[in-house]
Amino acid sequence: MNILLIGSSKFIGSHLLDRLVKKNDIDKILCTYLSNNQSSFFEKEKIIFNKCDVRKFSDIETNLKESHADLIIYMASSRYFPKPININDHVEININGIKNLIEACKQIKSNPKVIFINSGSSKLDSTKNNIGYSFSKKNSSEIFHNAINNNEISGTEINLFTPYGPKDFKYRLIQSYTIGLINGEIPKINNPNSQRDFIYIDDVIDIIEKIIFSNQKISSIDVGSGKPTPVLEIVKEISRIMKIKKEIKLDQIESKEEISYMKADLSIANKKFNWSPKIDLNEGIFRTVEWIKKNYTNYYE
């Protein structure tokens, strides 16, 4: 099997590559990136790294031709937090990017299976802001499913909720708060009552792997814990693990968020794959905090 992995990052993409390179039935992985080239961390004989800007049709077309892909894993995405410098990134990357992929498949007359790693926010009501993150995720989902219904591509959409774990970006909640404590700071928490559906990275990779090697026709599947947790509870647990007893700093005025509550529906994952998360939240936070403490200097400084 030849795989084209579009939009690999240092976090989810690196964990997925760690798993895929060990599979004997995978012959080649063409891994594209925009700015984070991970080539020094992986075996060269199985993985090829190419730069790709999904906003450019020609970039996707070139990589699709070169890969001879049997499977495309599309995980390119704009950033939700911190906000991107260019607000148009949500439309150009999330919406135009998936359009470019579909058009490239049509023009090359290639019909590989496509696994679209989307966000759980695609299921939110986001009609009030037609340039925001949630709107772009919802719109890209509609584009993907329309292409499937029109027999232009085949595949599965994965609605990924809030993944966390080792190698996550330093601006994400668990990483940023832990790094602050390591540096003797007590970071200020915005929107402490905001509830997210946290899912440990190993569980995420488990279900993605099952989907990759499955012949089942699954239109869309949620990947999360199904248990929303307030942000405040997360930072309390980090403080407990770090043995910090200082008062947690909260913003006096909570900002208005585009996303304030998320919960995955695990019914399809349970039914099709008998899958549910193995790592509970406290264990996952502990593993993540311990990894950050051991790897902070080499990975984040």
Side-chain angles (χ1 to χ4, degrees), residues 66-277:
E66 183 176 335
S67 68
H68 303 287
D70 305 296
L71 170 71
I72 298 171
I73 304 173
Y74 185 89
M75 56 196 313
S77 177
S78 63
R79 193 176 64 199
Y80 169 64
F81 179 84
K83 291 182 178 180
I85 296 174
N86 183 358
I87 190 63
N88 293 321
D89 278 357
H90 296 318
V91 172
E92 293 177 0
I93 295 174
N94 298 339
I95 296 176
N96 294 340
I98 197 69
K99 285 181 178 179
N100 286 336
L101 174 64
I102 294 165
E103 186 60 30
C105 288
K106 288 165 58 179
Q107 290 199 16
I108 298 172
K109 296 182 179 179
S110 171
N111 189 30
K113 176 181 176 181
V114 179
I115 296 177
F116 176 26
I117 310 291
N118 204 358
S119 167
S121 64
S122 66
K123 305 177 78 173
L124 301 177
D125 181 8
S126 54
T127 56
K128 295 180 181 179
N129 184 356
N130 63 4
I131 60 171
Y133 178 83
S134 293
F135 172 85
S136 68
K137 289 297 187 180
K138 188 179 185 70
N139 193 266
S140 61
S141 175
E142 293 170 352
I143 292 167
F144 179 75
H145 289 291
N146 285 338
I148 290 177
N149 294 335
N150 293 331
N151 296 316
E152 295 170 339
I153 58 172
S154 61
T156 300
E157 176 188 35
I158 298 177
N159 297 307
L160 184 57
F161 281 68
T162 308
Y164 70 98
K167 301 183 184 179
D168 201 353
F169 296 98
K170 64 182 180 180
Y171 56 78
R172 297 286 297 278
L173 175 64
I174 296 175
Q175 261 68 7
S176 64
Y177 199 78
T178 302
I179 290 170
L181 295 182
I182 289 173
N183 290 325
E185 305 167 359
I186 304 294
K188 186 177 290 186
I189 300 301
N190 300 317
N191 302 296
N193 297 316
S194 174
Q195 297 188 52
R196 295 290 192 272
D197 189 331
F198 292 87
I199 178 74
Y200 191 66
I201 187 62
D202 287 2
D203 287 320
V204 172
I205 302 305
D206 283 346
I207 189 67
I208 293 176
E209 183 180 5
K210 289 179 183 294
I211 295 168
I212 287 173
F213 294 101
S214 172
N215 292 321
Q216 300 184 73
K217 289 187 177 181
I218 302 169
S219 174
S220 180
I221 186 171
D222 284 5
V223 174
S225 67
K227 300 175 181 178
T229 303
V231 166
L232 182 58
E233 295 303 313
I234 301 297
V235 298
K236 283 181 178 179
E237 182 63 16
I238 296 171
S239 295
R240 187 191 69 78
I241 293 169
M242 297 283 288
K243 298 180 181 179
I244 302 295
K245 297 183 179 180
K246 295 181 181 179
E247 184 177 356
I248 295 171
K249 295 180 180 179
L250 305 178
D251 241 350
Q252 296 300 316
I253 300 176
E254 294 190 18
S255 62
K256 292 183 179 179
E257 283 192 291
E258 186 179 356
I259 303 171
S260 60
Y261 179 87
M262 297 184 74
K263 180 181 179 180
D265 178 354
L266 303 187
S267 58
I268 295 177
N270 290 332
K271 180 179 179 181
K272 296 291 186 178
F273 298 106
N274 193 29
W275 177 90
S276 59

